[in-house]
Amino acid sequence: MDFELLKQQKTEDINVFLKSFLPEETGKEAILCEAMNYSVAVGGKRLRPMILLEAYAMFGGKDTAAQPFAAALEMIHTYSLVHDDLPAMDNDMYRRGQLTTHAKYGEAMGILAGDGLLNYAFEVMSDAVCGQGKNAARAMRILAKAAGVRGMIAGQTVDLEWTGKPQTKELLDYINERKTSALLCSALMAGAALAGATEEELSVLKQVGNLVGLAFQIKDDILDVAGDETKLGKPLHSDEKNEKSTYVTLIGIDEAQETVKEFSRKAVELLETLPYENRFLKELLLSLVTREY
Amino acid sequence: MDFELLKQQKTEDINVFLKSFLPEETGKEAILCEAMNYSVAVGGKRLRPMILLEAYAMFGGKDTAAQPFAAALEMIHTYSLVHDDLPAMDNDMYRRGQLTTHAKYGEAMGILAGDGLLNYAFEVMSDAVCGQGKNAARAMRILAKAAGVRGMIAGQTVDLEWTGKPQTKELLDYINERKTSALLCSALMAGAALAGATEEELSVLKQVGNLVGLAFQIKDDILDVAGDETKLGKPLHSDEKNEKSTYVTLIGIDEAQETVKEFSRKAVELLETLPYENRFLKELLLSLVTREY
């Protein structure tokens, strides 16, 4: 089947089970659940859960055991966007052409919906760990660390601290390895861990994830200056508006384009050293280079 | 040994290992770790970790396996205070006579330090679950649910939605069962689960925790109108200032006092139906009624 069609079908499958893992909008706290579900529904590509599921399949996983972790990872990714959009952070009112959570539900509910999504990710994973045991515990630990104080939150912190100040490429790498690559790495690693991959195999996947994550972020910076607003669903030049240094401002658009290509090629080469194959996953990772949105 | 002296010693022990579970203030994200550690250091009574450890001991636990969970619970409690204090929520500048996290580090860092503490709680518990196995997974699930979308965050949501509106006692119970009791319940239940308690025993502890939690909250409301500012370390009448209905405004101070006594008595009676004993835990739960701060 055609890659784009297959990806679309897989995205739809993810949206179905993702919804089943989200809270029902019941109880006196229904508005909280509504704000959480709205936040997840606004998000779009389901890239991280898709990578997690494909890594699980690549290492021989055949059942639905990875679904709670894929759902949890998307909740974690979504909470980070909800909190990043808050007035005290990036103060964004729109994402993918729709109101951000705090813009729709108010600032307090933006904070609580984010907290709710982060905590709910661990509620869902705790259930799975109680039911599934050791490999599930490994996967949860991988996702927890990637999202955490030396991972995504560190990236967000350093990004915030340096906004409006001159940055070096080394600093930008430090931020992006944590803010973007950490979750992508964890998607590959957690999926593989669930299927019983060895620590050595996880270490290879970590390198793959780092390369893909950096390529993904550089591509994001490129699209912010040279993309198509309609396809992106958001205005261009947000980095400039927020006074952020990017790979484009630091190394120029041509070298940025080259780096994206090189990192992606290296990532695929590394992936091919593993004794398993997943053609769709390889195409998916490569599509991050060629994406226009 | 005298109860107060023993409690003080146990509090100091908790502070020591709690610190060992918190992140070192290193890396480019050192400021995040500093804000997290500051938030935990400002907090005080360590009631929840103490209850968790005592429940563990009550059910025969003799080693340090409960420490990561006690530390994680205190991190979760602390993150909830940090986010509650934010300008978009209660907008409090002081807690226990010291600057709140956002007042000291700025609003963005208040959000991130709270996120960091919540996530770090699960990083610490994930490590413990990978090392310890099944009972640890049960304990983590108990804490995750209590902190979550049907627990503490639900309580905070409903509290927020109804601030400034006339409330019924039923609504206040709904809020407090989630906002206050849920974590106290989970402290008892998680400690016991770690030591291998049965589901039936956990169910008794849940009732005990609910009674103690409600008594604790009612006492809090009483102290807010009739306490001693110096002992409390915060100004009185904050509920009135925030236009919050409390048990004191709804049922009067006399009935509130009576309810605290009755719930505490019932809680201890229930605790005594269990085939294990922990005299210190009993005294600790009773002390929640007689506390002046």
Side-chain angles (χ1 to χ4, degrees), chain A residues 48 51 55 73 142-143 146 177 180-191 202 204-213:
Chain A
R48 290 156 196 81
I51 292 174
L73 178 54
I142 288 165
L143 296 181
E177 271 169 25
T180 309
S181 300
L183 277 204
L184 288 174
C185 279
S186 76
L188 285 168
M189 293 167 74
L202 296 189
V204 173
L205 289 173
K206 187 173 187 165
Q207 294 173 61
V208 172
N210 262 325
L211 287 162
V212 170

Side-chain angles (χ1 to χ4, degrees), chain B residues 79 94 123 134 138 228:
Chain B
Y79 115 79
Y94 290 92
E123 293 182 56
K134 195 170 165 53
R138 284 170 82 206
D228 180 324

Side-chain angles (χ1 to χ4, degrees), chain A residues 61-124:
Chain A
K62 293 192 192 308
D63 57 16
T64 57
Q67 285 186 0
F69 297 88
L73 178 54
E74 190 69 2
M75 291 180 211
I76 291 171
H77 171 59
T78 305
Y79 116 80
S80 78
L81 301 180
V82 171
H83 278 189
D84 279 11
D85 287 337
L86 285 169
M89 310 279 275
D90 289 349
N91 196 20
D92 280 323
M93 299 296 280
Y94 290 93
R95 186 175 282 278
R96 297 179 199 284
Q98 294 198 65
L99 284 172
T100 51
T101 308
H102 74 90
K104 190 172 167 76
Y105 292 95
E107 196 177 339
M109 199 52 70
I111 296 167
L112 288 172
D115 293 345
L117 284 166
L118 175 57
N119 198 93
Y120 208 63
F122 285 102
E123 294 183 57
V124 167

Side-chain angles (χ1 to χ4, degrees), chain A residues 11-290:
Chain A
T11 308
E12 282 162 22
D13 292 347
I14 290 171
N15 281 328
V16 170
F17 78 71
L18 180 56
K19 203 170 173 182
S20 77
F21 280 104
L22 285 163
E24 282 185 51
E25 295 169 12
T26 55
K28 295 188 201 297
E29 64 277 12
I31 188 74
L32 169 74
C33 306
E34 190 191 314
M36 288 167 62
N37 295 343
Y38 173 81
S39 309
V40 174
V42 166
K45 287 176 281 183
R46 312 301 183 211
L47 183 63
R48 290 156 196 81
M50 196 176 291
I51 292 174
L52 190 149
L53 294 175
E54 293 302 322
Y56 181 63
M58 178 173 168
F59 282 80
K62 293 192 192 308
D63 57 16
T64 57
Q67 285 186 0
F69 297 88
L73 178 54
E74 190 69 2
M75 291 180 211
I76 291 171
H77 171 59
T78 305
Y79 116 80
S80 78
L81 301 180
V82 171
H83 278 189
D84 279 11
D85 287 337
L86 285 169
M89 310 279 275
D90 289 349
N91 196 20
D92 280 323
M93 299 296 280
Y94 290 93
R95 186 175 282 278
R96 297 179 199 284
Q98 294 198 65
L99 284 172
T100 51
T101 308
H102 74 90
K104 190 172 167 76
Y105 292 95
E107 196 177 339
M109 199 52 70
I111 296 167
L112 288 172
D115 293 345
L117 284 166
L118 175 57
N119 198 93
Y120 208 63
F122 285 102
E123 294 183 57
V124 167
M125 286 193 282
S126 295
D127 283 337
V129 170
C130 284
Q132 298 177 26
K134 194 170 164 53
N135 281 337
R138 284 170 81 206
M140 183 183 63
R141 178 160 64 166
I142 288 165
L143 296 181
K145 304 274 179 191
V149 169
R150 302 300 177 192
M152 188 178 67
I153 303 177
Q156 181 60 19
T157 300
V158 181
D159 192 15
L160 189 81
E161 289 291 297
W162 284 81
T163 295
K165 297 173 195 161
Q167 297 180 12
T168 60
K169 186 173 164 299
E170 182 226 352
L171 187 74
L172 214 55
D173 284 343
Y174 190 92
I175 293 169
N176 290 322
E177 271 169 25
R178 286 153 185 83
K179 197 173 167 177
T180 309
S181 300
L183 277 204
L184 288 174
C185 279
S186 76
L188 285 168
M189 293 167 74
L194 279 166
T198 65
E199 292 301 318
E200 290 68 31
E201 287 164 343
L202 296 189
S203 155
V204 173
L205 289 173
K206 187 173 187 165
Q207 294 173 61
V208 172
N210 262 325
L211 287 162
V212 170
L214 282 172
F216 184 84
Q217 183 58 49
I218 299 170
K219 183 75 189 185
D220 218 53
D221 292 351
I222 293 168
L223 289 173
D224 191 53
V225 296
D228 179 324
E229 287 197 355
T230 316
K231 284 183 188 166
L232 287 166
K234 63 181 178 186
L236 295 189
H237 306 294
S238 69
D239 293 325
E240 201 181 315
K241 194 194 85 188
N242 294 322
E243 296 174 55
K244 287 189 176 178
S245 296
T246 72
Y247 287 101
V248 174
T249 60
L250 283 175
I251 61 177
I253 194 156
D254 292 341
E255 197 180 324
Q257 301 265 28
E258 273 312 303
T259 310
V260 170
K261 278 184 201 159
E262 192 194 329
F263 281 11
S264 310
R265 190 185 48 75
K266 274 192 193 161
V268 168
E269 266 179 29
L270 263 171
L271 202 62
E272 287 173 342
T273 65
L274 292 166
Y276 307 94
E277 219 206 332
N278 181 334
R279 200 181 150 76
F280 179 81
L281 179 60
K282 199 157 63 181
E283 284 198 60
L284 181 63
L285 296 179
L286 277 171
S287 74
L288 299 178
V289 200
T290 52

